[in-house]
Amino acid sequence: MKIINILIALASFVGACMIGSKDTGGIGSMWDAISLAIVVIPSYFLVVASTNSYTFYKDKSSLLLFGDLAFGFGLIGTIVGFIFMLAGMALPPPPGIDPTAILISNLAISIITVLYGLFIKYFIALPWAHSIKDK
């Protein structure tokens, strides 16, 4: 039953994103592999280092730590994205390209890391951690 409820929550989230992004490029604008890597990879390896185990997902507190770190790295990724975006403003735009479009697309990529961090924390780590029975 828990899995079904999580899938319904996930489907409603993705469905709302699909409807909301219909006129702006579709759900594909919600995907950025580099931002996802910024959120997931450091969080995973820091939890592995702190638990000294690659199977930390069996422990409730470790999963909660993973969710908190994912959210934290989402914020860090956004700050790094803002820095890259503002540093790119000093460069001359390529011929025929609107500089505002470049700025806005970089802003969207930087903000998506927070979305990934929140998504991992509230849709993956918290439900998974609360499904584990306390010892």
Side-chain angles (χ1 to χ4, degrees):
M1 189 67 161
K2 290 178 187 177
I3 299 293
I4 291 172
N5 289 328
I6 292 170
L7 290 176
I8 289 171
L10 181 62
S12 67
F13 175 77
V14 171
C17 289
M18 290 175 72
I19 292 168
S21 66
K22 178 180 66 168
D23 298 326
T24 60
I27 194 73
S29 60
M30 302 287 287
W31 168 249
D32 183 49
I34 294 172
S35 297
L36 186 62
I38 287 171
V39 171
V40 173
I41 294 172
S43 303
Y44 175 79
F45 283 107
L46 284 174
V47 174
V48 166
S50 70
T51 61
N52 205 22
S53 170
Y54 287 102
T55 58
F56 67 86
Y57 53 85
K58 298 176 183 177
D59 182 40
K60 188 175 195 171
S61 63
S62 298
L63 275 171
L64 293 173
L65 175 63
F66 177 71
D68 290 340
L69 285 172
F71 176 67
F73 276 103
L75 292 174
I76 291 170
T78 298
I79 299 300
V80 169
F82 283 156
I83 291 169
F84 289 159
M85 178 187 70
L86 294 173
M89 290 175 66
L91 302 174
I97 303 293
D98 182 19
T100 307
I102 294 171
L103 183 71
I104 298 301
S105 67
N106 289 335
L107 177 64
I109 290 172
S110 71
I111 291 176
I112 203 164
T113 57
V114 171
L115 175 68
Y116 288 157
L118 288 168
F119 183 80
I120 289 170
K121 181 175 182 172
Y122 290 108
F123 277 95
I124 296 172
L126 279 177
W128 193 348
H130 289 294
S131 70
I132 296 173
K133 301 229 187 289
D134 289 327
K135 294 178 184 180

